[in-house]
Amino acid sequence: MPSYTAPVKDMQFILHDVLNVSAQDIPGYDELDPAFTGAVIEEAGKLASDVLMPLNGVGDTQGCVLDNGVVRTPDGFKAAFDQMRDGGWTALDCDPEYGGQGLPYIMQTCSQEPFVSANMAFQMYQGLTHGAYSAIYVHGSDAQKQTYLPKMTTCEWTGTMNLTEPHCGTDLGMMRTKAVPQEDGTYQVTGQKIFISAGDHDMAENIIHLVLAKIPGGPEGIKGVSLFIVPKFIVNEDGSLGARNGVSVGKLEEKMGIHGNATCVMNYDDATGYLVGEAHKGMRAMFTMMNEARVGVGLQGYAQAEVAYQNAVAYANDRLQGRDVTGAKAPDKAADPIIVHPDIRRNLMDQKSFVEGARAFTFWGSNLIDRAHKNDDATADGLISLLTPIIKGFQTDKGFEMAVNAQQVYGGHGYIEEWGMSQFARDARIAMIYEGANGIQALDLVGRKLSQDGGKHVMAFFDMIKTFASETKGQDADFDTQFLEPLKAASKDLQAAAMYFMQNGMKNPNNALAGSYDFMHMFGHVCLGYMWARMGLAASKALKDGASDVAFYETKLATGRYYMARQLPATKMHLARIESGADTVMALEAANF
């Protein structure tokens, strides 16, 4: 059975050595000293290792069952969910007015990573509820907040997001679900939604569905979409649960992975719904939930890679095959452990350097979200808006790739279910698809985010890299050569790609769109390169200051040097692809594929 241990030391390193959170001028950050954050992460790690990880395989093999209209979750899930609630883990960054603990969002991120690594399917029930909470918190009326948020904060009631229909996913303007106004101010919601994660289950008293629908007579297309609260059970004026609403589960989807999460077809038959925010402004409200979810899905990408990596390292140290070409490392045994072989080392270093870079990137993104929301910082808001499709798209692509790489370390055993490695790959695969498939993330990045606010956010990113390089250059010759020079070269590649889009995208939009996926990955590499440069700087400083854990910081520097030398040069490949234009991409007629 696979195992998992929360990487507490690495998370603490990012929070305190790299981001220096307790010194930042964000409300609540002054309380984030190492003792406090360490205690939170360690406790989350214990829950993940002791409770959630043993249920991961159970959820995968048992799955969910639709029983007489009610979804039954796998054995042990309900008791674990109760334990999660009792520990307050569902409410870390929620508003104290509604029963939350009021911690910064970055602490939510820190606590969620171990839960996702240990049991991604289980964690989705809580994660989706948090997103629904946020949408109501930002866009709901005071009465709606008082009615729903206290119970959603504790996950006594859970939440969902309902967008996709059988005939429309990305193009939500085509949706057919309708919401007919009633005299009492409610709406009758009728339609079908598919792929609804956590759409029904037996772990909560009520489920609060956030449903996109069209009010008859409204504008055509996406401008006519509104958002509605549609609870599984109607909530009475005194807060008690009333009659069952007109919402039911049509079927459970059979999926490649995340079997422990109930992915439902939801049928709405004259269900009572309550408008959230303004009519025909539903996408604005839903994007509050979706943008948060996209950062969370980016976390899922590297968190699955983390647990797969941990197990691959253990296997590589234990499995005996062949001899080290430079001389036997275990002469008393029949063979050396496979970790001595350069190709296994390459594989593991790819995984390690990605996971640690992506963790830093995601923590930095969470830091920007806190700065944007708590300080009303427009610059931080613009930057995280630019980076969100990269966090989601790049990290889930690479996270799946690294989960497969970890499986490869096992050879044939990785393909056998009893070793558990295939589950990590199968579970990670969905993260590339949901909350906006990664091709859509790339189109959003190139088609919208680059030009947002006149392009000032991407220019601010380039200026940030340039400023960082100029302020740190000359402090350490090795650091300049091994970290700064590769980062500057990669940033120049990224700027050249953006310039290509500006010069060629207007004449032929396909030139930009055909290169969008490469641009997203190029941008992702530059972001991780920037993170590794910052981590390298922090590790160098710690060593110069006489840090006691020399091995940790030297390992950090060695891992960073690997990323800068072996991964970051991929920007040149992506640039060459982008500058080849759209002609080769669009050369075939549809009939010739």
Side-chain angles (χ1 to χ4, degrees), residues 141-206:
S141 66
D142 288 342
Q144 288 171 340
K145 294 176 188 178
Q146 294 295 335
T147 299
Y148 298 104
L149 295 189
K151 297 286 189 179
M152 295 176 74
T153 296
T154 61
C155 275
E156 292 171 82
W157 299 351
T158 60
T160 70
M161 55 193 299
N162 287 237
L163 292 80
T164 307
E165 299 183 8
H167 58 283
C168 73
T170 301
D171 191 354
L172 290 171
M174 296 173 60
M175 73 173 55
R176 296 172 184 157
T177 300
K178 64 179 181 179
V180 179
Q182 305 298 297
E183 291 184 1
D184 62 357
T186 65
Y187 291 77
Q188 278 192 344
V189 179
T190 301
Q192 185 179 78
K193 299 289 185 176
I194 65 171
F195 306 154
I196 308 306
S197 299
D200 195 76
H201 55 86
D202 56 359
M203 301 189 297
E205 299 171 354
N206 202 3

Side-chain angles (χ1 to χ4, degrees), residues 71 81 124-136 148 152 155 157-164 193-201 203-204 206-212 227-232 247-249 261-268 276 285-286 288-290 293 435:
V71 174
F81 205 64
M124 288 170 63
Y125 293 98
Q126 175 187 342
L128 285 159
T129 304
H130 191 278
Y133 162 96
S134 296
I136 296 172
Y148 298 104
M152 295 176 74
C155 275
W157 299 351
T158 60
T160 70
M161 55 193 299
N162 287 237
L163 292 80
T164 307
K193 299 289 185 176
I194 65 171
F195 306 154
I196 308 306
S197 299
D200 195 76
H201 55 86
M203 301 189 297
N206 202 3
I207 300 176
I208 311 304
H209 301 288
L210 291 186
V211 183
L212 288 179
L227 182 64
F228 299 88
I229 293 171
V230 186
K232 178 179 178 179
V247 52
S248 61
V249 180
N261 196 271
T263 304
C264 303
V265 173
M266 302 300 300
N267 295 323
Y268 295 89
V276 178
M286 185 58 85
T288 296
M289 186 173 185
M290 289 180 67
E435 306 304 341

Side-chain angles (χ1 to χ4, degrees), residues 73 165 245 251 263 265 286 311 356 413 497-498 516:
T73 51
E165 299 183 8
N245 207 352
K251 64 176 280 195
T263 304
V265 173
M286 185 58 85
N311 286 276
E356 294 179 13
H413 292 299
S516 61

Side-chain angles (χ1 to χ4, degrees), residues 384-456:
I384 189 59
S385 178
L386 172 71
L387 299 177
T388 293
I390 306 161
I391 293 173
K392 195 281 183 187
F394 175 73
Q395 290 190 177
T396 58
D397 275 355
K398 301 300 286 189
F400 173 71
E401 179 185 332
M402 296 308 153
V404 171
N405 285 358
Q407 186 183 26
Q408 186 73 13
V409 171
Y410 281 67
H413 292 299
Y415 200 65
I416 304 301
E417 290 294 341
E418 69 180 87
W419 288 86
M421 296 304 289
S422 76
Q423 183 185 354
F424 300 135
R426 288 185 286 104
D427 286 357
R429 183 66 182 88
I430 184 58
M432 301 162 68
I433 298 171
Y434 62 15
E435 306 304 341
N438 286 355
I440 300 300
Q441 302 300 322
L443 294 179
D444 177 48
L445 175 62
V446 171
R448 295 179 63 248
K449 299 301 175 61
L450 284 187
S451 60
Q452 190 173 19
D453 295 327
K456 76 174 187 177

